Amino acid sequence: MCILVINGNEIPKEKQLTELILKEFPTVKSIIKNINKKNTNVILGEENINLYGNGYIKDILGKFVFKISPLSFYQVNPIQAEKLYQLGIEGANITKDDVVFDLYCGIGTISLFMSQYAKKVYGIEIVEEAVKAAKENAKINKVENAEFIAGDVEKVLTELIQTRSIIPDIIMVDPPRKGLDNISIDNILKISPKRVIYISCNPATLMRDLAKLEERYEIVSIKPVDMFPFTSHVECVAVICRKETL
């Protein structure tokens, strides 16, 4: 997938550019024009216009097929992503009696992986297009025990706990670089799931958040996964357990 991000409405010689991309890179399945006129550090705007293809691509991760749209978060290194998710699932030690919350679930990648072992998985994600894709991915892969909800993690988490009285046994979090907000951390401490698996792309905010949880939780392991070779970036999988369960 090739996404051309512009701060206007038109690309000069758009048709010729599309033809050149396809000639140079014949494996490209979809070319999209993304319009972002805002002066912020957010790369993609909300409007997508297909220049070539059907606006999405598909990839296989483990035994699952995922439909990926322009606004979907998806790990760009699928080989390492599978290892990353496997580490998280091994650390979670999920059983068929467990209810799992997957916070910042994206298009449902790790939610569907966990659904193989859990009683029920609830995925929460603020990007509505990603949630739509997650629901579609569940259908494609015939997964019936995963429910995906669009909205702010802190608000949906509060609603699930207080309004719907759903208490998870395990929480999986994979937040953006800024880490978890204080409301989500307070909710985690309030309901005290037996295990929390924290996948982080920013070791600094990971350690900040773990420090807020350490009164009730013990850090069992933190394992780095090199998702971006030849760069300084590394992802980490942290497994923490409620102290009385150790």
Side-chain angles (χ1 to χ4, degrees):
M1 176 185 287
C2 175
I3 304 172
L4 306 168
V5 186
I6 61 171
N7 64 357
N9 294 309
E10 299 296 332
I11 301 173
K13 299 184 179 179
E14 194 174 272
K15 188 180 177 184
Q16 292 94 315
L17 177 60
T18 302
E19 289 171 354
L20 279 171
I21 292 169
L22 293 170
K23 184 180 178 182
E24 188 70 25
F25 305 102
T27 55
V28 168
K29 296 286 187 292
S30 189
I31 301 175
I32 293 138
K33 177 170 66 175
N34 177 274
I35 296 172
N36 185 4
K37 297 180 183 179
K38 294 179 181 178
N39 185 21
T40 67
N41 65 347
V42 177
I43 296 170
L44 295 172
E46 294 178 3
E47 185 179 359
N48 291 305
I49 299 164
N50 288 351
L51 301 180
Y52 173 79
N54 49 22
Y56 65 87
I57 55 173
K58 286 184 177 179
D59 194 21
I60 297 171
L61 205 58
K63 69 174 192 177
F64 297 104
V65 177
F66 292 98
K67 184 177 175 181
I68 307 158
S69 59
L71 299 182
S72 303
F73 172 79
Y74 188 78
Q75 294 282 3
V76 295
N77 187 336
I79 295 168
Q80 286 293 82
E82 199 171 331
K83 293 178 182 176
L84 180 79
Y85 296 155
Q86 203 56 49
L87 276 175
I89 288 165
E90 286 170 8
N93 195 21
I94 304 166
T95 72
K96 285 295 180 184
D97 296 321
D98 287 332
V99 173
V100 183
F101 283 4
D102 181 12
L103 312 185
Y104 309 94
C105 68
I107 61 170
T109 44
I110 199 163
S111 295
L112 298 192
F113 270 75
M114 292 189 296
S115 71
Q116 302 171 91
Y117 312 100
K119 179 182 178 181
K120 178 89 176 188
V121 178
Y122 293 88
I124 306 169
E125 171 62 54
I126 194 170
V127 180
E128 287 190 15
E129 186 180 319
V131 171
K132 185 180 175 185
K135 290 177 179 178
E136 201 168 339
N137 287 328
K139 283 183 182 177
I140 290 169
N141 293 284
K142 298 178 181 177
V143 172
E144 297 179 351
N145 63 333
E147 180 179 332
F148 296 99
I149 305 162
D152 285 326
V153 163
E154 60 268 27
K155 292 178 183 175
V156 176
L157 188 56
T158 302
E159 183 193 335
L160 285 172
I161 296 163
Q162 295 181 4
T163 308
R164 296 177 61 181
S165 299
I166 300 169
I167 306 300
D169 301 286
I170 296 163
I171 290 182
M172 175 80 69
V173 300
D174 188 1
R177 292 188 65 77
K178 65 181 180 179
L180 295 174
D181 60 274
N182 286 326
I183 295 172
S184 295
I185 288 173
D186 289 343
N187 274 325
I188 291 170
L189 289 170
K190 194 183 297 178
I191 58 177
S192 293
K194 58 186 176 183
R195 278 184 294 282
V196 178
I197 313 302
Y198 193 138
I199 296 177
S200 172
C201 58
N202 185 350
T205 52
L206 170 66
M207 297 316 295
R208 179 201 68 196
D209 293 343
L210 291 181
K212 294 175 184 177
L213 295 163
E214 68 179 353
E215 186 178 331
R216 192 163 299 172
Y217 286 89
E218 188 81 34
I219 298 172
V220 176
S221 65
I222 301 175
K223 295 182 180 178
V225 180
D226 189 7
M227 304 291 290
F228 316 102
F230 308 107
T231 77
S232 60
H233 298 286
V234 67
E235 298 239 352
C236 292
V237 180
V239 178
I240 65 172
C241 289
R242 204 171 60 221
K243 287 184 177 178
E244 64 268 28
T245 63
L246 290 169

